Amino acid sequence: MESPLPQSATASPSSSRRSYIPFIAVMAGGVIDLLTKEWAQTVLQPYQPPIAILPWLSVRLGYNEGVSFSLLSFDDPAAKTALLIATALLTLFFATWMVRAKGSERLALAAVLAGAIPNVIDRARDGRVTDFLDLHIGDRSFFIFNLADVWISIGALLLLSTLLPSLRAKRVTP
């Protein structure tokens, strides 16, 4: 006989706790990112020579007024506001998707949001995002980024690995 209670009411306590893990991951990732950006702004001087951590990674304070790789950088305050609104709306889209998603798709979206939310907060505070991790080989720097960018990249890769098999299956199915 089927239970008259909704599935969520009959779920085990451990499965109920697991449903909070993506939300905890979003909060933890966001807090870690914002704290490391605060550390970088307190300890490092903008655009000074990098301080080596690993042979291929240094810390160096920089700011990104655009999106990835400083694309869409604007000096105009109205354009900066439009960029903030666009990134906030995109973040809201991913948050809505995460709430509706399940399993590994939900965890992938949590990683994206763990980076997107603090970047929106950072941009809302002063119109730019704080970057401080410098990926390089020798003297050739490829890009400077922050932990939010790491979370977003990991989430995007996980999301692709989650969605690609189902997209392939749909394409093959007549």
Side-chain angles (χ1 to χ4, degrees), residues 123-137:
R123 185 178 308 284
R125 284 193 291 204
D126 57 8
R128 60 190 185 182
V129 174
T130 304
D131 288 328
F132 62 94
L133 296 168
D134 183 8
L135 183 66
H136 60 85
I137 295 177

Side-chain angles (χ1 to χ4, degrees), residues 34-53:
L34 290 171
L35 288 174
T36 57
K37 287 175 182 172
E38 189 66 33
W39 168 84
Q41 290 181 354
T42 302
V43 173
L44 304 171
Q45 295 297 315
Y47 306 106
Q48 292 298 309
I51 301 167
I53 297 175

Side-chain angles (χ1 to χ4, degrees), residues 10-166:
T10 61
S12 72
S14 66
S15 69
S16 175
R17 280 190 293 265
R18 278 194 303 255
S19 68
Y20 290 107
I21 290 173
F23 298 97
I24 292 168
V26 169
M27 288 188 302
V31 167
I32 291 167
D33 175 70
L34 290 171
L35 288 174
T36 57
K37 287 175 182 172
E38 189 66 33
W39 168 84
Q41 290 181 354
T42 302
V43 173
L44 304 171
Q45 295 297 315
Y47 306 106
Q48 292 298 309
I51 301 167
I53 297 175
L54 298 168
W56 46 270
L57 184 69
S58 299
V59 291
R60 173 171 63 114
L61 183 60
Y63 297 99
N64 183 350
E65 295 186 9
V67 293
S68 297
F69 306 109
S70 295
L71 297 172
L72 302 177
S73 291
F74 301 105
D75 289 329
D76 178 44
K80 286 184 178 188
T81 300
L83 182 58
L84 173 63
I85 291 168
T87 56
L89 288 172
L90 187 58
T91 301
L92 182 61
F93 166 78
F94 279 105
T96 303
W97 184 3
M98 186 191 86
V99 168
R100 295 177 179 168
K102 296 197 183 323
S104 57
E105 183 177 313
R106 180 180 258 188
L107 288 174
L109 290 162
V112 169
L113 287 168
I117 292 170
N119 273 350
V120 167
I121 291 168
D122 201 19
R123 185 178 308 284
R125 284 193 291 204
D126 57 8
R128 60 190 185 182
V129 174
T130 304
D131 288 328
F132 62 94
L133 296 168
D134 183 8
L135 183 66
H136 60 85
I137 295 177
D139 290 337
R140 174 131 167 98
S141 179
F142 294 102
F143 50 88
I144 186 168
F145 58 101
N146 56 48
L147 289 178
D149 298 329
V150 173
W151 309 153
I152 292 168
S153 297
I154 289 170
L157 290 172
L158 290 172
L159 192 58
L160 280 173
S161 70
T162 301
L163 297 177
L164 281 179
S166 64

